[in-house]
Each structure stands twice: as structure tokens, then as C-alpha cells.
Amino acid sequence: GKTQTDINTTIGKGSYFAGNFHINGTLRIDGRYEGKYLEVDQLYIGPSGKVKTNIKAGNVIVGGTIIGNITATHRVMLLPTSRVLGDIKTPELI
């Protein structure tokens, strides 16, 4: 698989973050995040991740739960453990 060496920012398991987030690079969420919006180049939500926000990103990989809309310029990949409650806008959905 792909190496996870390019992860810039992580919200760890058991961590909780609230607010608006704008990140250049990659964000991995294994904890909980809540906010109006989340803007990031690459987003990875781990199986334990729970996110309540609207997402704008290049690529999104979802292994956890998202409540909110996803707008991705490249692609959205939904893993078997994912749950998405919202709309997904992307050129490529896997």
C-alpha cells in the first residue's frame, strides 16, 4: 500500500478538535473533529475517526464516519468501514 510518511497533521485517537481548519498538505483523523468546514489537500479519516463538517479537499479517503458534504477535486475513496451522511461531489468515486 501507500506509505503514510507524507502525513503532516494528525488528530489522534481519543482526541477531539472543534473549529474551522485549513491545512496545506495531509490531515489524518483518528479522533473526532467538528466544525463548519475543513479544507485540506489530502484527507484520511481512519476507521475510528468521526467527522462532522463540510469538507473541501483534493483527495479524501474515508475509513470512518463523516456527517457533512464532501467536495473533492480529484477523488473520494470509501473504505468498507466508512459511513457518509451527506452529499459527495467528486470526479472519481471509488
Side-chain angles (χ1 to χ4, degrees):
K2 237 181 78 170
T3 55
Q4 297 294 321
T5 52
D6 56 350
I7 301 272
N8 299 137
T9 309
T10 302
I11 296 175
K13 204 171 175 178
S15 300
Y16 174 76
F17 185 86
N20 297 331
F21 228 175
H22 185 112
I23 295 174
N24 289 323
T26 303
L27 172 66
R28 180 185 171 117
I29 300 175
D30 290 310
R32 289 187 333 178
Y33 170 79
E34 220 173 293
K36 282 200 185 90
Y37 72 88
L38 174 60
E39 205 170 324
V40 62
D41 295 335
Q42 314 273 342
L43 178 62
Y44 177 80
I45 297 166
S48 60
K50 286 184 173 57
V51 175
K52 193 176 179 183
T53 188
N54 291 312
I55 294 162
K56 279 172 79 174
N59 292 301
V60 182
I61 300 173
V62 186
T65 303
I66 295 179
I67 300 170
N69 299 324
I70 303 169
T71 305
T73 51
H74 296 296
R75 72 175 185 188
V76 175
M77 188 176 200
L78 302 177
L79 302 177
T81 51
S82 69
R83 280 180 56 214
V84 178
L85 303 165
D87 296 329
I88 298 172
K89 281 187 195 144
T90 182
E92 191 183 352
L93 182 62
I94 298 169

